[in-house]
């Protein structure tokens, strides 16, 4: 008898700030990237200290690398280390701390610890809503990831609430991007028309300067 393989829960999206940054030559090969990332982390710890932003970035990179290799316990240890440093260096309500909590919750989801993942997402969300607002992209990412966990728990109403808030954040960001693009285009068009219609050496005024 063939048993159906249990589907792994959808893990979620890591915030951009925690995505891997590794040399081009070893991208796509986590086993080759690990020595490079460890060397970078050790060097930054030695020269900059644990609390420096670049060191923290390296810790998150290393955690993400281990996570991508399926070494979830090791990844969680690295994320916990980053969390502790963020709390000491930046306090308990910094957006970078929230991003690390988000990544920790993804690992917990991958481990099947769904209740724990929701608690961790809740901590991240509390920071993000308080410091960034409901419609910030990072807040939207956390809502999106939480909806995935609620789906796994078969709590469809909570999943719907989260995905609705994630979608609202997405819509705001799209509207902002469209507005900026429209403004830039209009500004460029106005500049172009001005340069065409007027001698660039003559000031543009409806009335002449008083003599």
């Amino acid at each position: 008898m063939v048993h159906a393989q249990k589907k792994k829960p959808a893990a979620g999206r890591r915030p951009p700030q925690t995505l891997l940054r590794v040399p081009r030559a070893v991208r796509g090969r986590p086993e080759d990237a690990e020595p490079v990332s460890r060397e970078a982390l050790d060097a930054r710890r030695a020269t900059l200290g644990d609390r420096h932003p670049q060191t923290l970035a390296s810790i998150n990179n290393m955690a993400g690398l281990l996570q991508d290799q399926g070494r979830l316990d090791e990844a969680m240890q690295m994320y916990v280390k980053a969390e502790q440093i963020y709390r000491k260096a930046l306090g308990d309500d910094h957006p970078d701390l929230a991003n690390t909590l988000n990544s920790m919750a993804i690992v917990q989801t991958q481990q099947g610890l769904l209740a724990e993942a929701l608690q961790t997402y809740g901590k991240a969300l509390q920071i993000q809503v308080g410091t960034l607002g409901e419609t910030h992209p990072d807040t939207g990412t956390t809502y999106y990831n939480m909806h995935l966990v609620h789906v796994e728990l078969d709590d469809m109403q909570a999943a719907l609430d989260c995905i609705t808030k994630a979608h609202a954040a997405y819509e705001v960001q799209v509207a902002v991007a469209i507005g900026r693009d429209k403004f830039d285009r209009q500004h460029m068009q106005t500049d172009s028309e001005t340069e065409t219609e007027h001698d660039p050496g003559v000031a543009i005024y409806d009335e002449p300067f008083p003599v």
Side-chain angles (χ1 to χ4, degrees), residues 7-209:
K7 182 180 177 182
K8 293 182 179 180
R13 300 173 178 171
R14 287 209 294 266
Q17 294 89 334
T18 63
L19 295 181
L20 294 182
R21 296 174 177 85
V22 297
R24 186 183 302 274
V26 293
R27 288 178 187 173
R29 304 201 308 274
E31 66 283 358
D32 295 333
E34 183 180 348
V36 177
S37 296
R38 285 196 182 279
E39 183 178 351
L41 175 57
D42 291 343
R44 287 175 173 173
R45 274 178 164 162
T47 58
L48 303 173
D50 275 352
R51 296 191 181 188
H52 193 278
Q54 291 185 17
T55 306
L56 285 164
S58 290
I59 293 174
N60 275 313
N61 278 357
M62 193 69 239
L65 190 62
L66 294 168
Q67 184 179 350
D68 290 345
Q69 295 181 68
R71 295 157 64 181
L72 301 181
D73 291 340
E74 294 175 75
M76 181 59 78
Q77 291 175 5
M78 297 295 291
Y79 283 132
V80 169
K81 179 66 173 177
E83 177 198 5
Q84 292 170 345
I85 297 172
Y86 275 127
R87 290 189 186 280
K88 290 179 181 178
L90 302 175
D92 293 333
D93 58 354
H94 195 278
D96 288 346
L97 170 61
N99 286 331
T100 295
L101 290 170
N102 199 322
S103 297
M104 291 170 63
I106 294 175
V107 174
Q108 290 171 325
T109 302
Q110 292 174 309
Q111 293 174 320
L113 305 174
L114 302 184
E116 290 86 343
L118 281 180
Q119 291 178 355
T120 306
Y121 279 134
K123 294 175 184 178
L125 193 61
Q126 183 176 4
I127 296 170
Q128 290 167 333
V129 172
T131 58
L132 303 173
E134 284 274 354
T135 58
H136 191 275
D138 289 352
T139 309
T141 295
T142 300
Y143 275 127
Y144 176 84
N145 290 347
M146 289 182 75
H147 116 272
L148 294 175
V149 178
H150 284 303
V151 168
E152 292 297 327
L153 293 170
D154 202 28
D155 188 348
M156 294 307 170
Q157 184 57 57
L160 179 60
D161 291 343
C162 287
I163 198 62
T164 299
K165 291 178 180 179
H167 184 67
Y170 170 77
E171 283 188 326
V172 168
Q173 297 310 310
V174 169
V176 169
I178 292 174
R180 285 175 178 167
D181 182 68
K182 185 176 180 181
F183 175 82
D184 290 342
R185 289 177 182 274
Q186 289 178 341
H187 187 66
M188 291 173 63
Q189 183 178 3
T190 301
D191 287 347
S192 177
E193 291 173 353
T194 300
E195 291 176 0
T196 302
E197 295 175 4
H198 299 276
D199 183 341
V202 178
I204 305 167
Y205 290 93
D206 292 334
E207 298 294 334
F209 279 116

Side-chain angles (χ1 to χ4, degrees), residues 1-5:
M1 180 177 179
V2 178
H3 296 279
Q5 186 175 4

